[in-house]
Amino acid sequence: MVTTPTAVLVHGAFTDASCWSGVIARLNRHSVPVTAPVIPLKGLATDAAYMSSVVSRIAGPVVLVGHGYGGTVISVAGTAPNVVGLVYVSAYALDEGESPRDLERRFPSSASDPGTAVVRTTASARCPVTTTHTEASPVAAWKTRPSWMMLAGADPVSVPEAVRFCARRAEATLLEVDDAEHGIPRSHPTDVAELIRDAVRATT
């Protein structure tokens, strides 16, 4: 029997699960099973372990979707046996032993932009997690799972050039939204939901 994967939406460090409300509404209209748990924001090991426990309680296949820091979380939790696909939304698909800071050092002209630093400092002040930019991923689930990525062209947090690099490295399907900033799940919920539907259809 064919089972439609459940889309599990993982929010970033600077927001909460409410960022997915518009996306959830659109997925519901198309009868895509969806859940958006609130992660603890206690650090990568704790957050990934929590997401792994969430995924393990879902009967059937799962497509993990991560926004921002949530992308790092799904790269670790995505090694769970029932995860069949990964969707990165304004997020990095990190390699083993790589942190966001390590990745951005490949693109110094963008990573050193003063505007990026201001946004990241402001956001970090609101975030219980203080190591989201320096913690290295211990695994890279995208190496064994098909991946989709959404790039926000005006994003000052997830550097567009770094996102493109991640997409090439992971051989991911990439969708670029030129005018979008980091909060793309709120500002472009239709685009995000459609990319998730693509991943669900491809893994059903």
Side-chain angles (χ1 to χ4, degrees):
M1 183 175 68
V2 175
T3 303
T4 300
T6 297
V8 178
L9 314 182
V10 184
H11 63 82
F14 312 146
T15 183
D16 56 31
S18 67
C19 74
W20 297 111
S21 58
V23 175
I24 292 170
R26 286 157 176 80
L27 292 176
N28 284 338
R29 290 174 199 161
H30 293 280
S31 301
V32 175
V34 59
T35 184
V38 177
I39 59 175
L41 294 177
K42 297 296 185 181
L44 180 56
T46 298
D47 295 341
Y50 173 75
M51 281 311 307
S52 294
S53 71
V54 170
V55 168
S56 70
R57 295 193 296 270
I58 296 174
V62 166
V63 168
L64 272 178
V65 183
H67 172 235
Y69 165 67
T72 302
V73 174
I74 71 170
S75 285
V76 180
T79 57
N82 59 329
V83 173
V84 295
L86 304 167
V87 181
Y88 295 86
V89 180
S90 296
Y92 299 143
L94 298 176
D95 204 349
E96 298 171 20
E98 184 177 64
S99 72
R101 177 174 291 173
D102 295 333
L103 177 63
E104 289 177 358
R105 282 174 176 160
R106 295 172 178 257
F107 309 94
S109 61
S110 297
S112 61
D113 178 75
T116 302
V118 170
V119 170
R120 188 168 287 124
T121 299
T122 302
S124 296
R126 302 196 303 270
C127 175
V129 175
T130 58
T131 59
T132 57
H133 201 56
T134 57
E135 275 194 286
S137 179
V139 295
W142 51 265
K143 290 185 175 181
T144 56
R145 307 291 191 279
S147 300
W148 289 257
M149 302 191 74
M150 176 169 281
L151 181 153
D155 191 348
V157 179
S158 296
V159 175
E161 288 82 354
V163 174
R164 290 189 187 97
F165 171 80
C166 288
R168 290 193 300 271
R169 181 169 65 182
E171 297 182 350
T173 299
L174 177 64
L175 175 64
E176 298 196 21
V177 183
D178 293 339
D179 62 338
E181 297 190 1
H182 192 65
I184 194 168
R186 292 187 189 275
S187 63
H188 293 71
T190 299
D191 292 325
V192 175
E194 188 57 34
L195 186 63
I196 295 170
R197 288 183 65 212
D198 287 347
V200 168
R201 285 191 291 256
T203 54
T204 296

